[in-house]
Amino acid sequence: MRKLYIAGNWKMNKTSSSAVKYAEELLKADIDKNVKVMVAPSFVCLADVCRVLKGSGIIVAAQNLNEHDSGAYTGEVSCEMLKDIGVNDVIIGHSERRLYYGETDSIVNLKIKKALSENMNVILCVGETLEQRESGLLEKVLHDQITIGLKDINPDDMKKITVAYEPVWAIGTGKTATPEDAQSAHAYIRSLIKNQFGSLVGDNTIIQYGGSVKPENVRALMDCEDIDGALVGGASLKIDQFLPIINVYK
Ligand code: PGA
């Protein structure tokens, strides 16, 4: 049985003080115990948010990491630095990283391997642009992002990987994929994982949907067979919007 996994990606929003205030409110909130919950603050807020949420069961994740151990990589953050402040989860390959910072599938693969080698859990983001979808490239894009992104990963390590399907045209635009379109992309991603790692791994892998998820549309998406959670950007920034998403079945 795949557990519902709702994650909030705060992107480049919130200061340490506003992040801590949010985390304190989340701690007090009435959250459905059957849901796995994560928030991903910016690097500078991570340590403070970890301190507040320690022992709560709410996961605190980084939005990125560097694929190297340490060294002359100005502006970058390593696994060791994250683990030292209690961060064991990371989002890798978000479309904003791919589009604005040139992260390729091969770099994504190196980052995932680094995270796994340090025993961290990963959310791997995949998804097509509008242009790719309209040119009939949806399956090819997802195929490459999954097969290259997860190349040479040990099937045993797949329990540490969540995949987030985030059509780029739906991120921050207010346009959500229809439940039918999202379900069909999720089913295809699951079939790719089954081909690469076997049926059991494919059946057990959590695949989140991301792209303008809101309290009003979350239920129809989560009701789809192959959608096991959500990666939420804009609507995760305000607790009164994030809570009803987490508590979609409560
Ligand atoms: P959005 O972002 O919910 O604001 O569309 C989703 C994401 O980028 O993870």
Side-chain angles (χ1 to χ4, degrees):
M1 215 15 220
R2 301 185 297 263
K3 191 167 178 172
L4 191 71
Y5 184 9
I6 305 288
N9 174 12
W10 294 351
K11 308 190 180 184
M12 198 175 73
N13 293 291
K14 297 192 188 294
T15 58
S16 274
S17 41
S18 60
V20 161
K21 200 158 160 258
Y22 185 115
E24 285 167 350
E25 282 175 45
L26 198 56
L27 201 57
K28 283 187 245 145
D30 187 15
I31 287 177
D32 186 340
K33 299 276 179 298
N34 298 313
V35 180
K36 186 170 161 182
V37 179
M38 178 269 253
V39 289
S42 73
F43 283 133
V44 290
C45 307
L46 275 173
D48 285 339
V49 172
C50 274
R51 222 170 287 127
V52 176
L53 293 179
K54 196 169 179 188
S56 68
I58 297 169
I59 297 162
V60 181
Q63 299 173 15
N64 182 26
L65 53 68
N66 187 274
E67 63 275 27
H68 300 283
D69 285 335
S70 62
Y73 301 102
T74 301
E76 292 292 288
V77 171
S78 71
C79 277
E80 190 187 10
M81 293 169 186
L82 294 172
K83 294 207 67 173
D84 186 57
I85 57 166
V87 174
N88 291 303
D89 292 69
V90 60
I91 298 171
I92 294 181
H94 189 280
S95 64
E96 287 147 17
R97 303 273 344 146
R98 294 175 187 263
L99 287 172
Y100 308 148
Y101 305 101
E103 279 188 21
T104 60
D105 290 324
S106 307
I107 295 173
V108 165
N109 180 247
L110 290 176
K111 291 187 176 200
I112 293 175
K113 283 181 183 154
K114 173 52 65 188
L116 291 174
S117 76
E118 298 292 336
N119 220 14
M120 292 179 79
N121 303 301
V122 171
I123 294 183
L124 161 64
C125 300
V126 299
E128 80 291 0
T129 63
L130 188 57
E131 203 183 4
Q132 289 165 333
R133 175 172 275 260
E134 286 177 345
S135 335
L137 292 173
L138 171 65
E139 293 204 344
K140 182 184 174 347
V141 170
L142 294 179
H143 176 273
D144 291 352
Q145 289 174 335
I146 292 289
T147 53
I148 303 171
L150 296 176
K151 190 165 183 270
D152 299 328
I153 301 296
N154 184 327
D156 272 354
D157 278 337
M158 281 300 290
K159 48 182 172 306
K160 300 191 147 292
I161 309 255
T162 294
V163 175
Y165 168 63
E166 300 201 296
V168 178
W169 48 271
I171 295 179
T173 58
K175 281 188 217 150
T176 321
T178 61
E180 295 72 28
D181 282 347
Q183 164 58 29
S184 101
H186 280 235
Y188 179 63
I189 290 168
R190 199 176 299 289
S191 75
L192 292 170
I193 296 171
K194 286 185 179 180
N195 281 343
Q196 205 165 335
F197 299 100
S199 287
L200 192 61
V201 171
D203 282 335
N204 289 336
T205 301
I206 292 176
I207 308 178
Q208 297 171 321
Y209 168 80
S212 299
V213 173
K214 303 183 261 280
E216 306 81 63
N217 60 25
V218 65
R219 179 66 193 254
L221 289 158
M222 297 309 115
D223 279 350
C224 297
E225 192 185 337
D226 288 292
I227 302 184
D228 313 312
L231 181 55
V232 188
S236 74
L237 293 175
K238 293 215 170 77
I239 200 147
D240 60 348
Q241 287 192 46
F242 195 41
L243 266 185
I245 295 174
I246 295 171
N247 288 336
V248 53
Y249 290 113
K250 194 170 154 78

